[in-house]
Amino acid sequence: MAKKTKKQQEALKLVDRTKTYDAKEALELVQKASTANFDETVEAAFRLGVDPKKADQQIRGAMVLPHGTGKTQTVLVFAKGDKAKEAEAAGADYVGDQELINKINQGWFEFDVVVATPDMMAEVGKLGRVLGPKGLMPNPKTGTVTFEVEKAVNEIKAGKVEYRVDKQSNIHVPIGKVSFDLDKLVDNFNALADTVVKAKPQAAKGTYIRNVAVSSTMGPGVKVDSSNFAK
């Protein structure tokens, strides 16, 4: 464990680890406890009462945050013909088919999100072994396998984020930067919380939202009172 700097030790003192805070107070503490010399990402983490090993308790999807993430995503679109032109017009950074597939197979990964039209998936599917481990494989559940290319690119550029429950039943999602206005972070957090609540699988038993925390890249975690959320 790396030794904490003086600034980090001071930041820790701001947060009462035994207490849960309302969302606004928690996010304000995250901003105050930010000590890094770069604009840290603010992340929300939800511990859920689901069993991700069971197919009927998988949670995966995407949403557009009201105020974006503070990061402009580099978008690659696999498409041909008119759909390729549509992607270019929408502002996709890279558009193509086989030549991009070849480039990726040679180790090129200068993009953040991949969108593909359904007719391209037979070829794009062959990239599963390289795109899958990086979380870059297009998926209909997150709206990245679609003929609505313009809509997909616009949403990603506007601040679309993906959420997916991991093996430990957690969901981690970036909700902005510490430089954001506090109210914008709160709006993004609330929008995400609403989405997670609505994504509750019918098969989930007991308390659904077990605990919630927010943190910055280098800062301490701050517990959020989850009693306001549907259980």
Side-chain angles (χ1 to χ4, degrees):
M1 192 79 178
K3 189 178 178 183
K4 288 185 166 51
T5 65
K6 190 175 180 182
K7 277 187 178 179
Q8 287 173 320
Q9 288 171 347
E10 290 298 317
L12 278 171
K13 291 177 186 174
L14 294 171
V15 180
D16 183 345
R17 293 300 186 97
T18 64
K19 182 182 173 184
T20 57
Y21 299 85
D22 70 52
K24 187 168 186 175
E25 197 178 1
L27 288 163
E28 190 173 16
L29 278 172
V30 166
Q31 289 180 316
K32 286 178 179 175
S34 171
T35 59
N37 57 3
F38 62 92
D39 194 7
E40 295 178 66
T41 295
V42 178
E43 183 182 89
F46 293 77
R47 180 75 185 273
L48 303 178
V50 297
D51 183 352
K53 291 175 188 168
K54 295 180 178 174
D56 59 358
Q57 294 187 42
Q58 290 282 332
I59 299 171
R60 183 175 187 180
M63 62 169 292
V64 178
L65 292 170
H67 306 290
T69 62
K71 180 189 176 187
T72 303
Q73 303 273 46
T74 302
V75 183
L76 182 152
V77 179
F78 288 112
K80 294 178 179 177
D82 289 343
K83 288 297 167 185
K85 290 175 186 172
E86 185 183 322
E88 287 170 354
D93 300 277
Y94 304 102
V95 182
D97 46 75
Q98 194 59 50
E99 76 280 9
L100 288 179
I101 290 172
N102 294 342
K103 205 170 172 183
I104 290 167
N105 272 324
Q106 289 163 12
W108 175 74
F109 295 101
E110 291 176 22
F111 47 87
D112 301 306
V113 185
V114 179
V115 175
T117 53
D119 59 321
M120 287 296 301
M121 283 309 292
E123 290 303 311
V124 175
K126 295 172 186 175
L127 292 172
R129 62 185 174 77
V130 289
L131 292 181
K134 294 179 182 290
L136 291 169
M137 195 66 189
N139 188 298
K141 287 183 180 177
T142 58
T144 49
V145 177
T146 178
F147 280 119
E148 294 185 62
V149 175
E150 181 182 7
K151 180 186 175 188
V153 173
N154 286 340
E155 285 184 345
I156 293 162
K157 292 288 187 182
K160 186 177 186 177
V161 291
E162 294 186 14
Y163 56 88
R164 184 179 190 175
V165 69
D166 64 19
K167 290 176 183 176
Q168 285 76 44
S169 306
N170 297 315
I171 284 177
H172 296 267
V173 180
I175 57 168
K177 299 284 187 179
V178 291
S179 62
F180 274 30
D181 288 342
L182 178 59
D183 287 343
K184 289 184 177 180
L185 280 177
V186 173
D187 285 348
N188 280 355
F189 174 84
N190 286 336
L192 173 63
D194 287 346
T195 300
V196 172
V197 167
K198 287 172 185 170
K200 180 181 179 179
Q202 285 188 326
K205 299 285 189 286
T207 303
Y208 174 53
I209 296 191
R210 299 284 171 89
N211 52 58
V212 184
V214 288
S215 62
S216 63
T217 309
M218 308 290 286
V222 184
K223 293 177 185 174
V224 179
D225 180 4
S226 60
S227 62
N228 296 330
F229 309 133
K231 296 291 187 180

Short mmCIF file of all heavy atoms in Angstrom, two decimals, residues 6 13-14 21 55 84 87 89 102 121 134 184 215 222 228:
data_model
loop_
_atom_site.label_atom_id
_atom_site.label_comp_id
_atom_site.label_asym_id
_atom_site.label_seq_id
_atom_site.Cartn_x
_atom_site.Cartn_y
_atom_site.Cartn_z
N LYS A 6 0.63 14.05 2.63
CA LYS A 6 0.04 14.91 3.66
C LYS A 6 -1.33 15.42 3.23
O LYS A 6 -2.28 15.45 4.01
CB LYS A 6 0.99 16.09 3.95
CG LYS A 6 0.58 16.90 5.17
CD LYS A 6 1.60 17.97 5.49
CE LYS A 6 1.17 18.77 6.71
NZ LYS A 6 2.12 19.86 7.03
N LYS A 13 -9.42 13.24 6.70
CA LYS A 13 -10.00 13.80 7.93
C LYS A 13 -11.34 14.49 7.66
O LYS A 13 -12.14 14.68 8.58
CB LYS A 13 -9.03 14.79 8.57
CG LYS A 13 -7.78 14.13 9.15
CD LYS A 13 -6.83 15.19 9.71
CE LYS A 13 -5.50 14.57 10.15
NZ LYS A 13 -4.53 15.61 10.57
N LEU A 14 -11.58 14.89 6.41
CA LEU A 14 -12.83 15.57 6.08
C LEU A 14 -14.02 14.62 6.09
O LEU A 14 -15.17 15.03 6.25
CB LEU A 14 -12.73 16.20 4.67
CG LEU A 14 -11.74 17.35 4.47
CD1 LEU A 14 -11.64 17.68 2.99
CD2 LEU A 14 -12.18 18.58 5.27
N TYR A 21 -23.97 10.14 4.03
CA TYR A 21 -24.35 11.52 3.74
C TYR A 21 -25.42 11.55 2.65
O TYR A 21 -25.53 10.61 1.86
CB TYR A 21 -23.14 12.30 3.21
CG TYR A 21 -21.97 12.38 4.17
CD1 TYR A 21 -21.02 11.36 4.24
CD2 TYR A 21 -21.78 13.51 4.98
CE1 TYR A 21 -19.94 11.45 5.11
CE2 TYR A 21 -20.70 13.60 5.85
CZ TYR A 21 -19.78 12.57 5.91
OH TYR A 21 -18.71 12.66 6.76
N ALA A 55 -28.32 -15.71 -14.85
CA ALA A 55 -28.63 -14.97 -16.07
C ALA A 55 -29.77 -13.97 -15.87
O ALA A 55 -29.77 -12.89 -16.48
CB ALA A 55 -28.98 -15.94 -17.20
N ALA A 84 -22.12 4.63 -43.27
CA ALA A 84 -20.78 5.17 -43.01
C ALA A 84 -20.80 6.69 -43.16
O ALA A 84 -20.22 7.42 -42.35
CB ALA A 84 -19.77 4.55 -43.97
N ALA A 87 -22.48 8.21 -40.17
CA ALA A 87 -21.57 8.22 -39.01
C ALA A 87 -20.59 9.39 -39.10
O ALA A 87 -20.33 10.09 -38.11
CB ALA A 87 -20.82 6.90 -38.91
N ALA A 89 -20.98 12.19 -40.76
CA ALA A 89 -21.72 13.45 -40.59
C ALA A 89 -22.06 13.71 -39.12
O ALA A 89 -22.13 14.86 -38.68
CB ALA A 89 -23.00 13.41 -41.42
N ASN A 102 -8.61 -4.80 -39.70
CA ASN A 102 -7.20 -5.19 -39.87
C ASN A 102 -6.28 -4.39 -38.95
O ASN A 102 -5.35 -4.93 -38.34
CB ASN A 102 -6.76 -5.00 -41.33
CG ASN A 102 -7.50 -5.94 -42.27
OD1 ASN A 102 -8.07 -6.93 -41.84
ND2 ASN A 102 -7.50 -5.62 -43.56
N MET A 121 -21.64 -7.09 -37.91
CA MET A 121 -21.26 -7.85 -36.72
C MET A 121 -20.63 -9.22 -37.02
O MET A 121 -19.87 -9.73 -36.20
CB MET A 121 -22.46 -8.02 -35.79
CG MET A 121 -22.79 -6.77 -34.98
SD MET A 121 -21.35 -6.07 -34.09
CE MET A 121 -21.07 -7.36 -32.87
N LYS A 134 -11.16 -5.59 -23.28
CA LYS A 134 -11.03 -4.15 -23.05
C LYS A 134 -12.39 -3.46 -22.86
O LYS A 134 -12.47 -2.25 -22.70
CB LYS A 134 -10.30 -3.49 -24.24
CG LYS A 134 -8.84 -3.92 -24.38
CD LYS A 134 -8.20 -3.26 -25.60
CE LYS A 134 -6.77 -3.72 -25.79
NZ LYS A 134 -5.85 -3.20 -24.74
N LYS A 184 -24.49 20.08 -10.92
CA LYS A 184 -24.42 19.21 -12.11
C LYS A 184 -23.99 17.79 -11.72
O LYS A 184 -24.51 16.82 -12.27
CB LYS A 184 -23.44 19.80 -13.13
CG LYS A 184 -23.98 21.05 -13.81
CD LYS A 184 -23.05 21.57 -14.89
CE LYS A 184 -23.66 22.78 -15.58
NZ LYS A 184 -22.79 23.33 -16.64
N SER A 215 -16.64 8.84 -5.05
CA SER A 215 -15.22 9.15 -4.80
C SER A 215 -14.63 9.80 -6.04
O SER A 215 -15.20 9.72 -7.13
CB SER A 215 -14.43 7.87 -4.48
OG SER A 215 -14.47 6.99 -5.59
N VAL A 222 -16.83 8.27 -0.13
CA VAL A 222 -17.80 8.90 0.77
C VAL A 222 -19.12 8.13 0.63
O VAL A 222 -19.67 8.01 -0.46
CB VAL A 222 -18.02 10.39 0.41
CG1 VAL A 222 -18.97 11.04 1.43
CG2 VAL A 222 -16.70 11.14 0.36
N ASN A 228 -33.12 6.77 0.49
CA ASN A 228 -34.03 7.51 -0.40
C ASN A 228 -34.34 6.71 -1.66
O ASN A 228 -35.26 7.04 -2.39
CB ASN A 228 -33.40 8.86 -0.81
CG ASN A 228 -33.21 9.78 0.37
OD1 ASN A 228 -33.96 9.71 1.33
ND2 ASN A 228 -32.20 10.62 0.31
#
